[in-house]
């Protein structure tokens, strides 16, 4: 794949379809590629936000950046409540699009927020880890952890678009990249088994 080119892979689900757009230098094209022009709540974390959030937010006239603490420990209803408060304070409404900019935790939390804020708003995800590209960003499973277990509170919320900017993977540590590769290999093996 050449720089500045992208490929779109269609994903069909019971209630519709969307594209997974994969390429380089797509961060500045999230809006056009996802047809997002209205108010945006860009949800990110303390690892990814300082690197990419302001740059991504420049493409929308009305964008609120919400930065949550990074890590699985913050995949909670408290983080969801904190995001709701910031969205209400910014004047977000039913025309708002939630854009997730981060790894699997941000994807799961943001999807849950999009599914429940004002009974559901548009959702776009821009995964920033290989693991999130091959797993969390596709399929519509969203949720948060509670003391009783992982992902026990959640919803199915399909994204309107997935924008996978491979340029963002350069900021990953080797261990995180290896985890994503392991998941990709697992999916490949499972797919191969189904095809037999």
């Amino acid at each position: 794949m050449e720089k500045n080119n992208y490929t779109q892979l269609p994903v069909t689900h019971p209630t519709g379809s969307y594209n997974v757009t994969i390429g380089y230098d797509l961060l500045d094209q999230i809006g056009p590629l996802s047809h997002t022009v209205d108010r945006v709540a860009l949800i990110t974390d303390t690892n990814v936000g300082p690197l990419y959030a302001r740059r991504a937010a420049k493409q929308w006239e009305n964008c609120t950046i919400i930065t949550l603490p990074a890590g699985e420990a913050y995949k909670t209803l408290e983080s969801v409540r904190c995001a709701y408060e910031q969205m209400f304070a910014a004047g977000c409404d039913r025309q708002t699009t939630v854009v997730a900019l981060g790894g699997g935790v941000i994807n799961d939390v943001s999807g849950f927020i999009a599914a429940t804020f004002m009974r559901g708003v548009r959702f776009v995800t821009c995964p920033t880890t290989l693991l999130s590209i091959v797993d969390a960003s596709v399929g519509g499973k969203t949720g948060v952890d509670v003391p009783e277990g992982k992902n026990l509170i959640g919803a199915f919320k399909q994204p309107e678009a997935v924008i996978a900017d491979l340029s963002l993977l350069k900021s990953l540590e080797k261990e995180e990249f290896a985890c994503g590769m392991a998941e990709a290999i697992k999916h490949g093996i499972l797919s191969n088994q189904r095809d037999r």
Side-chain angles (χ1 to χ4, degrees):
M1 189 180 314
E2 294 178 22
K3 268 190 170 286
N4 299 320
N5 287 343
Y6 58 81
T7 299
Q8 291 190 315
L9 305 172
V11 174
T12 303
H13 54 86
T15 58
S17 65
Y18 59 90
N19 284 325
V20 177
T21 304
I22 304 169
Y24 290 93
D25 302 318
L26 302 180
L27 187 64
D28 303 314
Q29 301 176 56
I30 300 170
L33 288 171
S34 64
H35 308 288
T36 302
V37 294
D38 294 323
R39 177 183 298 276
V40 168
L42 179 71
I43 302 178
T44 189
D45 66 26
T46 50
N47 288 340
V48 175
L51 298 173
Y52 304 119
R54 285 184 190 264
R55 183 175 145 205
K58 286 180 182 177
Q59 61 200 289
W60 297 289
E61 189 174 315
N62 198 343
C63 181
T64 300
I65 299 173
I66 298 169
T67 305
L68 301 176
E72 184 80 26
Y74 298 98
K75 187 176 159 183
T76 63
L77 288 169
E78 178 60 25
S79 292
V80 171
R81 186 192 60 76
C82 179
Y84 288 156
E85 287 178 355
Q86 292 180 64
M87 290 171 74
F88 283 123
C92 292
D93 56 24
R94 292 187 63 85
Q95 279 63 57
T96 298
T97 298
V98 170
V99 175
L101 179 65
V105 170
I106 285 297
N107 188 84
D108 285 356
V109 172
S110 299
F112 181 72
I113 290 165
T116 54
F117 183 78
M118 294 197 167
R119 298 184 181 172
V121 295
R122 290 185 79 233
F123 175 49
V124 171
T125 182
C126 183
T128 59
T129 66
L130 184 55
L131 184 57
S132 185
I133 289 171
V134 300
D135 185 40
S137 65
V138 178
K141 290 186 293 185
T142 71
V144 296
D145 303 338
V146 289
E148 291 77 10
K150 289 183 59 150
N151 297 316
L152 293 183
I153 305 295
F156 287 95
K157 177 66 175 175
Q158 298 290 347
E160 300 279 330
V162 176
I163 314 298
D165 184 346
L166 302 178
S167 307
L168 306 185
L169 299 182
K170 67 184 176 192
S171 62
L172 285 181
E173 294 181 10
K174 289 181 182 178
E175 294 81 13
E176 284 193 47
F177 189 82
C179 286
M181 285 303 296
E183 189 70 15
I185 291 167
K186 181 183 90 173
H187 282 294
I189 291 170
L190 292 173
S191 175
N192 189 44
Q193 293 300 317
R194 281 192 299 255
D195 293 342
R196 290 184 178 196

